[in-house]
Amino acid sequence: MLFNTGTFAIFFIIVFISYWLFLKNSVKWQNLFLLVASYVFYGWWDWRFLSLIFLSSLSDYLIALKIDAPIKPKSAKIWVTISIAINLIMLGFFKYYNFFVDSFIDLFALFDVELSKRSLNIILPVGISFYTFQTMSYTIDVYRKQLKATRDFVSFFAFVSFFPQLVAGPIERASNLLGQFYIKRQFDYEKSAIAMRQILWGLFQKVVVADNVGVVVNQIFDNYQQQSGFSLILGAMLFSFQIYGDFAGYSNIAVGVARLLGFQLMQNFQSPYFSQNITEIWRRWHISLSTWLRDYLYTPLAIKTRNWGSFGIAFSTMLTFLLCGLWHGAAWKFVIFGAFHGIALTYDIFTKKTRKKWRKQIHQKIYDPISILLTFSYWTFTLIIFRAQSAKDAFIYLKSIINKPLFTPDDLSLAGLKLTMVGIVVFFMAFDYMGRNKTFAIETTGKPWPNIGRFAFYAFLVFLIFLFFQTDGDAFIYFQF
Amino acid sequence: MNQQTLLSELSEIFNEVLDKEGIVLKPDTHAGDIEEWDSLTHIQLIVAIEKHYKIRFTSLEIQHWKNVGDICQSILDKTM
């Protein structure tokens, strides 16, 4: 069930009315209802995979209770390892089995050893990378004594499967979300109005920006060998805005929908394209994943290797980003994507003091915009690897940017469409910049205006959404992860 | 060694590692209070503290810390 469909709209209206009208006096019934609604939401796509969410939730619910009971530290360590193993085996089988088997066969083929192909026809369960990370972090937090294990079965299962953020995040921490299931939620008009604004902006990002820019991006990437250098650069840049609109749009709708039900989810994006280095981008892009990786992968690794000096830091950073790349998909292109980010972050770490000096010497008014531009260019370059069909295609795409003529007469054929897309992106980025310190771009837009002006602005966004609505709009890109 | 002495010694270590002046730590100071105290410098701080007091923290111990007070307690547990 996609957020930008009529089915979801009907589903949510039913949930919203029942939740606030019939169940408002009982937190327990509300939680049970949310659990059932979440399983219906997920089961709509494929009910068979509900068993995976159930298994992941059950194992972490029970194991966390075991760890929290008075047991020896060694036993607690064994239990947390079992919990991580269950989740990673599930994720590994459904997402990476074919990738590892194929890579293994290819490796042997390099030495002229032919192995028979044993790939399986495995369907990737939607959102598996998101909810396994969410439930794993709960058990690890209990193991680290940062959290008490819950005995509230329904709340915990609802926390793992909470439908607004189940399939594409934000990857919530139990320390933020689980506790919200225990307390009474009151319908709040002010908060609901903010939620509606956030959903509206999320729909704009997805329907107007991502789906439309995506049409041009697909045309360029699908026929990249026939494109001019300019078209290839434009295609790559537009993809940067497509993926941002797509994913940040989903997150905004998710946070807004949760807000309408009285829950506060974490902020997942904060104007990442105005960052001055790749480290900063990762602090502002998919924040729930980057902080997850920081807390559960990078920091433990860096602590373990702290006596290796600078090499330990570089090693932990590289490994974290190689796995971050692999988290995005079971293909070598994602590993390479991660490697380029690992390299950039390592560069950032070791040049921090030098860059500070440069900023002083050059003057920040010149240094800052150049940094933003260079950071965005590097980001866009890595996204070519991300978007191309394979690592090989990405390489040819990049080579073509240099080898092909900069302009060809064909560039004029879609000039109008391309110009419209650039216009949409400029509009999007202008609001993104103005709202860069807010939890979402238009959080306070129009607040000081008279009501009529504010509503005219919202109506204009709604008009754009209907005007640019693509009946064959793509599913959210991050669903495949 | 009491907590006050420890706090002033730790403040010196923080100033040196974070390349800053005037950091005065309190038991409730946490990473969010000092801009330069991020996931990278956190590791550098741990190494510097371990070297200064000739002690070794366990990974679990480090991950339990929520603020400077917790760091002080870990040091006191190991040096007293």
Side-chain angles (χ1 to χ4, degrees):
Chain A
M1 211 186 288
L2 300 176
F3 280 166
N4 52 339
T5 58
T7 319
F8 177 76
I10 295 167
F11 164 83
F12 187 67
I13 289 168
I14 296 169
V15 169
F16 184 80
I17 292 173
S18 317
Y19 182 83
W20 288 120
L21 208 63
F22 308 123
L23 304 166
K24 65 176 176 188
N25 293 324
S26 165
V27 176
K28 280 191 175 173
W29 280 106
Q30 277 186 333
N31 290 346
L32 188 63
F33 180 67
L34 283 179
L35 176 60
V36 174
S38 297
Y39 274 55
V40 169
F41 174 85
Y42 193 82
W44 206 267
W45 172 73
D46 195 330
W47 60 268
R48 291 169 301 171
F49 290 125
L50 283 173
S51 56
L52 287 181
I53 300 184
F54 185 80
L55 184 70
S56 179
S57 310
L58 185 68
S59 69
D60 281 293
Y61 174 78
L62 295 174
I63 288 173
L65 284 172
K66 271 270 176 211
I67 293 171
D68 213 16
I71 55 169
K72 287 180 186 160
K74 232 181 184 175
S75 309
K77 200 171 187 174
I78 293 171
W79 280 113
V80 77
T81 312
I82 294 172
S83 151
I84 294 170
I86 291 172
N87 282 299
L88 291 185
I89 288 170
M90 244 166 59
L91 188 60
F93 177 74
F94 283 98
K95 189 163 174 178
Y96 300 105
Y97 176 84
N98 283 338
F99 169 67
F100 284 126
V101 169
D102 292 346
S103 300
F104 199 64
I105 291 169
D106 291 344
L107 181 72
F108 273 82
L110 286 178
F111 301 100
D112 286 333
V113 180
E114 286 273 331
L115 295 176
S116 60
K117 211 161 167 61
R118 289 182 193 281
S119 298
L120 298 176
N121 185 19
I122 301 170
I123 305 168
L124 178 67
V126 168
I128 189 165
S129 315
F130 290 89
Y131 68 77
T132 46
F133 270 41
Q134 182 156 317
T135 167
M136 253 197 295
S137 73
Y138 163 73
T139 317
I140 298 172
D141 284 352
V142 172
Y143 170 69
R144 288 179 179 175
K145 298 199 189 309
Q146 289 166 345
L147 203 68
K148 294 294 286 173
T150 181
R151 291 188 174 277
D152 188 337
F153 183 86
V154 174
S155 292
F156 182 72
F157 275 62
F159 152 73
V160 177
S161 62
F162 190 42
F163 75 86
Q165 45 86 236
L166 171 62
V167 289
I171 304 165
E172 281 293 332
R173 303 290 180 85
S175 52
N176 175 43
L177 184 57
L178 184 56
Q180 295 184 50
F181 280 94
Y182 306 149
I183 48 174
K184 193 168 166 58
R185 273 104 47 190
Q186 298 278 4
F187 180 78
D188 184 313
Y189 177 79
E190 270 299 309
K191 281 183 186 165
S192 301
I194 295 172
M196 290 304 287
R197 268 206 295 278
Q198 189 157 12
I199 293 170
L200 179 63
W201 186 245
L203 282 171
F204 168 80
Q205 287 176 303
K206 168 64 180 162
V207 176
V208 180
V209 182
D211 284 351
N212 286 280
V213 167
V215 173
V216 179
V217 171
N218 288 346
Q219 280 168 355
I220 295 174
F221 271 84
D222 292 346
N223 310 294
Y224 69 91
Q225 278 163 324
Q226 282 91 50
Q227 305 290 332
S228 66
F230 168 77
S231 255
L232 292 171
I233 293 170
L234 183 72
M237 283 173 68
L238 285 179
F239 179 63
S240 294
F241 295 108
Q242 182 197 353
I243 194 166
Y244 176 36
D246 192 277
F247 194 20
Y250 186 92
S251 288
N252 274 327
I253 301 170
V255 177
V257 167
R259 260 184 171 148
L260 284 177
L261 297 169
F263 290 86
Q264 183 61 54
L265 301 182
M266 70 179 291
Q267 185 178 355
N268 217 12
F269 289 86
Q270 196 183 8
S271 305
Y273 290 172
F274 298 103
S275 303
Q276 293 188 27
N277 50 60
I278 294 293
T279 309
E280 195 185 344
I281 276 210
W282 281 103
R283 281 199 195 115
R284 294 162 169 267
W285 174 276
H286 202 178
I287 300 167
S288 63
L289 175 70
S290 56
T291 49
W292 195 102
L293 291 170
R294 181 196 66 198
D295 294 346
Y296 301 107
L297 188 60
Y298 169 79
T299 304
L301 271 173
I303 289 172
K304 280 267 182 240
T305 59
R306 65 188 184 275
N307 288 343
W308 301 2
S310 305
F311 180 72
I313 304 241
F315 169 79
S316 310
T317 309
M318 278 309 292
L319 191 57
T320 302
F321 274 87
L322 286 174
L323 291 171
C324 170
L326 197 59
W327 179 90
H328 286 85
W332 284 107
K333 64 170 186 171
F334 291 115
V335 180
I336 298 169
F337 166 81
F340 274 107
H341 284 276
I343 292 167
L345 261 91
T346 310
Y347 166 82
D348 286 348
I349 289 167
F350 293 113
T351 59
K352 202 172 167 185
K353 283 184 183 165
T354 320
R355 284 182 291 116
K356 218 172 164 182
K357 252 189 236 163
W358 288 348
R359 191 166 183 257
K360 264 191 188 163
Q361 282 169 356
I362 299 173
H363 198 285
Q364 68 186 70
K365 278 194 175 160
I366 302 168
Y367 181 88
D368 291 357
I370 293 176
S371 300
I372 291 171
L373 212 65
L374 288 176
T375 303
F376 179 73
S377 304
Y378 187 83
W379 172 261
T380 300
F381 152 72
T382 63
L383 281 182
I384 293 175
I385 306 165
F386 190 102
R387 171 62 178 79
Q389 285 298 320
S390 65
K392 194 179 154 202
D393 284 303
F395 179 71
I396 304 171
Y397 191 107
L398 286 161
K399 220 169 84 178
S400 305
I401 292 178
I402 303 161
N403 291 346
K404 289 279 174 80
L406 192 57
F407 293 103
T408 62
D410 283 351
D411 286 337
L412 290 172
S413 66
L414 290 167
L417 183 63
K418 286 173 186 166
L419 212 62
T420 313
M421 293 310 123
V422 172
I424 288 175
V425 166
V426 170
F427 180 86
F428 170 33
M429 280 296 111
F431 280 95
D432 197 67
Y433 182 75
M434 287 188 287
R436 66 194 179 284
N437 296 321
K438 307 284 177 225
T439 60
F440 62 97
I442 60 160
E443 188 181 1
T444 52
T445 305
K447 274 238 160 149
W449 304 349
N451 277 349
I452 188 157
R454 205 167 68 241
F455 285 109
F457 173 67
Y458 301 148
F460 179 61
L461 288 181
V462 173
F463 169 72
L464 287 179
I465 290 168
F466 278 102
L467 184 69
F468 284 98
F469 186 78
Q470 297 271 342
T471 43
D472 55 347
D474 290 335
F476 289 91
I477 296 173
Y478 265 68
F479 272 28
Q480 58 190 295
F481 309 140
Chain B
M1 187 165 31
N2 63 22
Q3 204 189 41
Q4 203 45 52
T5 323
L6 201 52
L7 281 173
S8 71
E9 284 178 6
L10 281 180
S11 299
E12 271 182 47
I13 296 174
F14 270 61
N15 280 315
E16 202 180 308
V17 173
L18 304 181
D19 193 23
K20 237 189 142 178
E21 280 170 20
I23 296 176
V24 181
L25 297 175
K26 290 179 194 154
D28 60 354
T29 308
H30 59 87
D33 297 330
I34 303 170
E35 202 194 327
E36 289 79 3
W37 187 0
D38 56 23
S39 52
L40 166 73
T41 51
H42 186 60
I43 307 297
Q44 294 168 329
L45 286 167
I46 295 165
V47 174
I49 295 167
E50 286 182 330
K51 211 170 156 189
H52 185 87
Y53 294 102
K54 296 186 179 62
I55 50 173
R56 178 91 180 161
F57 302 115
T58 64
S59 300
L60 205 54
E61 219 169 1
I62 295 167
Q63 277 152 10
H64 281 171
W65 296 341
K66 287 190 188 75
N67 53 33
V68 170
D70 292 341
I71 302 178
C72 288
Q73 196 50 55
S74 285
I75 298 171
L76 289 172
D77 288 347
K78 287 188 186 296
T79 51
M80 295 295 270

